Amino acid sequence: MRIIICGAGQVGYGIAERLAAEKNDISIIDTSPELIQAVRDSLDVRGFVGHGSHPEVLERAGAQQADMIIAVTLYDEVNIVACEVAHALFNVPMKVARIRSQSYLQPHYQDLFSRDHLPIDVIISPELEVGEMVLRRIALPGAKDVVRFAEDKIAMVAIECLEDCPVINTPLAQLSELFPDLPATVVGVTRNGKLFIPRSADQLIAGDLAYVVTTKDQVRRTLGLFGHEEQEATRIVIAGGGNIGLFVAKTIEKRQNRTKVKMIEHGRERAVAIADELRRTVVLNGSALDQKLLLEADIQEADLMIALTNNDQVNILSCVMAKGLGCKSNLALINNPAYLDITKSVGIDATVNPGTVTVSRILQHVRRGRIRAVHSIQRGAAEIIEAEALETSPLVGPFLRELDLPDGMRIGAIYRDGEVIKPSGSLRIKPKDRVVIFALAHAVKQVEQMFRVSLEFF
């Protein structure tokens, strides 16, 4: 695909890096010569210095032939205008805009982004999506990653297998026999840094990270089966009162009456502003690296420290300090992928990477075929994909045991008529079924082909 990206910051760079690695034709635009030079030096993309909303800049970047524009600058209005210009002057088919301001995203303004008004096909709000991911992690302690599919009826959970994990050293096929009423399928395993798709005779061992697909209702039972019965946090300290921190605190206030939240915000004006917006959350002004302030926030009695500032180093160090002062667990927002490899060794229990969240959202619209959702895993090493089966799909008709599926993919669940079905050899996939598949990077293109409309269909 020919794709133009407006904005070469962390979000734009992450999207460009992933899409360029998949051999897409990428042009990236930014007003900063330094950022564009950095992109040119490290990625196989074309870089253009200028405003992404200016027609002549879009024209130089190849808007006449572009299949998609992704506007992810820091300014909502620039992103909106870039999509409007791409539509009006260059007839770009797919337009994606990053929108940060919540005022644009109010439900009663939904008609704003339509072909009759502002012709933007996809709105992405990384702050909101990261916030939702943080909330899912709070709700399911013990899970290293949680993603939902099929109208929230199916969940993919990443679970660490500890030494006392009840299911280790047991063939996966035997687990299905021991728990026949549990709709859970192990679709992927990371062992010693290597990600692979297990076979039914394989066993999990201590230290593995297992990717398990199950129903939303059975997530807690699945975690318990793997030995994770951690209690949900009721005393939380949040570092960082930006858009993500404020969204998380507000949502906790709405959903969890028993949970007590304290927030640390460095900027005085921002601290005063968010204190006015929050009803039950105690807001403290100061640095999350100030030990006295952490103690004032009762960090020693907290169940969870969540660090959501814009500074990775502050997030990592504040989480380490919190744990040293007695906080039971922590979760850090980390933008720089290079830091993700060291987090476990320094005492970080869980991380959220905004780039992964945003790239996953974009990939859903880059992928060919009836792809409904995509979640990228381990910096693109694999994807979990929800796709709709068509009448022409090779998956439709035969029993699953008769299918010659490519290496590097495994079916995790099928969603049919509002019900979740665990895959088995005697199951047939029907047209309009929504299939949740775990695919290693090399198999993603084959998955796309399975869910594309065949020319013979016409």
Side-chain angles (χ1 to χ4, degrees):
M1 291 182 75
R2 292 188 176 93
I3 302 170
I4 296 175
I5 300 171
C6 300
Q10 287 179 333
V11 173
Y13 183 94
I15 295 168
E17 182 179 37
R18 181 62 184 280
L19 297 182
E22 296 186 3
K23 308 302 181 187
N24 291 290
D25 186 345
I26 306 297
S27 297
I28 190 163
I29 301 168
D30 200 282
T31 55
S32 167
E34 292 79 14
L35 288 177
I36 290 299
Q37 191 58 52
V39 168
R40 286 172 176 162
D41 290 344
S42 55
L43 302 178
D44 183 18
V45 304
R46 291 187 301 277
F48 300 88
V49 178
H51 289 273
S53 57
H54 288 183
E56 70 275 11
V57 179
L58 286 171
E59 187 171 19
R60 279 196 291 126
Q64 303 95 319
Q65 293 85 34
D67 300 301
M68 176 184 288
I69 181 169
I70 304 170
V72 288
T73 75
L74 292 174
Y75 306 102
D76 293 350
E77 290 72 22
V78 172
N79 297 336
I80 291 169
V81 174
C83 289
E84 173 73 34
V85 172
H87 171 78
L89 297 183
F90 303 107
N91 199 27
V92 177
M94 174 66 71
K95 297 158 289 290
V96 180
R98 174 189 189 178
I99 302 294
R100 305 178 75 198
S101 173
Q102 299 309 296
S103 62
Y104 284 121
L105 302 174
Q106 298 296 325
H108 49 285
Y109 297 142
Q110 280 184 342
D111 285 346
L112 178 62
F113 301 104
S114 67
R115 289 202 169 269
D116 294 333
H117 300 116
L118 295 175
I120 298 173
D121 302 293
V122 181
I123 297 296
I124 57 172
S125 176
E127 291 84 1
L128 281 188
E129 295 190 27
V130 169
E132 287 289 358
M133 180 161 281
V134 170
L135 290 163
R136 288 198 294 270
R137 302 288 275 278
I138 294 171
L140 293 169
K144 292 291 184 182
D145 198 0
V146 185
V147 194
R148 290 179 183 165
F149 299 93
E151 297 169 9
D152 281 357
K153 298 289 175 58
I154 296 173
M156 189 284 295
V157 193
I159 312 172
E160 185 177 4
C161 299
L162 304 175
E163 292 286 350
D164 57 353
C165 177
V167 300
I168 62 174
N169 304 321
T170 304
L172 295 179
Q174 192 173 329
L175 291 179
S176 297
E177 295 168 8
L178 291 171
F179 305 96
D181 62 331
L182 183 66
T185 304
V186 179
V187 292
V189 176
T190 297
R191 179 176 298 162
N192 299 323
K194 183 181 179 183
L195 181 63
F196 65 95
I197 291 180
R199 300 179 183 277
S200 57
D202 288 340
Q203 302 179 16
L204 297 172
I205 63 174
D208 284 354
L209 184 66
Y211 292 93
V212 185
V213 174
T214 186
T215 63
K216 177 187 174 183
D217 297 338
Q218 295 291 332
V219 170
R220 290 189 185 278
R221 184 183 170 200
T222 302
L223 284 166
L225 179 64
F226 278 76
H228 288 278
E229 296 182 343
E230 295 91 335
Q231 295 299 307
E232 191 171 339
T234 57
R235 290 170 294 184
I236 299 173
V237 176
I238 298 174
N243 287 341
I244 299 173
L246 179 60
F247 173 75
V248 169
K250 271 187 171 181
T251 309
I252 290 173
E253 286 188 345
K254 289 178 187 174
R255 298 179 186 173
Q256 297 157 261
N257 290 328
R258 294 190 307 111
T259 304
K260 296 179 180 178
V261 179
K262 295 186 178 179
M263 178 178 284
I264 299 172
E265 165 55 34
H266 190 267
R268 178 165 180 76
E269 287 186 14
R270 179 65 179 175
V272 171
I274 59 179
D276 288 340
E277 289 197 49
L278 296 167
R279 293 180 292 112
R280 292 186 288 110
T281 301
V282 176
V283 180
L284 304 174
N285 176 222
S287 170
L289 298 179
D290 184 338
Q291 184 169 320
K292 289 182 180 177
L293 194 61
L294 287 171
L295 292 170
E296 189 180 335
D298 296 322
I299 197 69
Q300 67 277 15
E301 298 174 4
D303 300 313
L304 177 64
M305 168 72 164
I306 307 173
L308 301 172
T309 77
N310 290 325
N311 188 307
D312 287 353
Q313 291 93 328
V314 170
N315 293 341
I316 292 170
L317 289 173
S318 62
C319 280
V320 172
M321 287 178 65
K323 213 164 185 187
L325 292 169
C327 183
K328 293 186 180 67
S329 62
N330 56 41
L331 186 156
L333 179 78
I334 298 186
N335 285 286
N336 187 343
Y339 291 141
L340 294 172
D341 295 333
I342 65 162
T343 52
K344 188 174 181 181
S345 63
V346 299
I348 305 296
D349 298 312
T351 61
V352 173
N353 178 241
T356 297
V357 176
T358 307
V359 167
S360 295
R361 185 85 163 83
I362 296 292
L363 287 175
Q364 175 182 343
H365 303 282
V366 173
R367 294 279 170 260
R368 310 277 186 175
R370 292 288 181 90
I371 307 299
R372 286 180 167 266
V374 174
H375 181 68
S376 181
I377 290 168
Q378 293 190 18
R379 303 179 217 174
E383 290 177 14
I384 184 156
I385 298 168
E386 177 193 342
E388 182 179 333
L390 302 166
E391 290 182 14
T392 55
S393 170
L395 294 178
V396 170
F399 292 112
L400 289 189
R401 61 172 169 264
E402 297 172 351
L403 290 173
D404 185 20
L405 294 177
D407 289 335
M409 63 168 283
R410 183 162 189 182
I411 296 174
I414 291 98
Y415 183 66
R416 178 187 298 162
D417 299 329
E419 292 188 9
V420 180
I421 304 170
K422 182 178 178 179
S424 66
S426 59
L427 180 69
R428 298 177 192 261
I429 292 176
K430 297 180 179 180
K432 296 187 179 179
D433 281 357
R434 283 150 72 170
V435 187
V436 176
I437 294 176
F438 187 95
L440 298 179
H442 68 81
V444 167
K445 292 297 180 188
Q446 291 167 290
V447 173
E448 286 183 281
Q449 290 296 331
M450 287 182 178
F451 294 93
R452 290 184 72 176
V453 177
S454 169
L455 289 174
E456 294 150 11
F457 184 67
F458 301 100

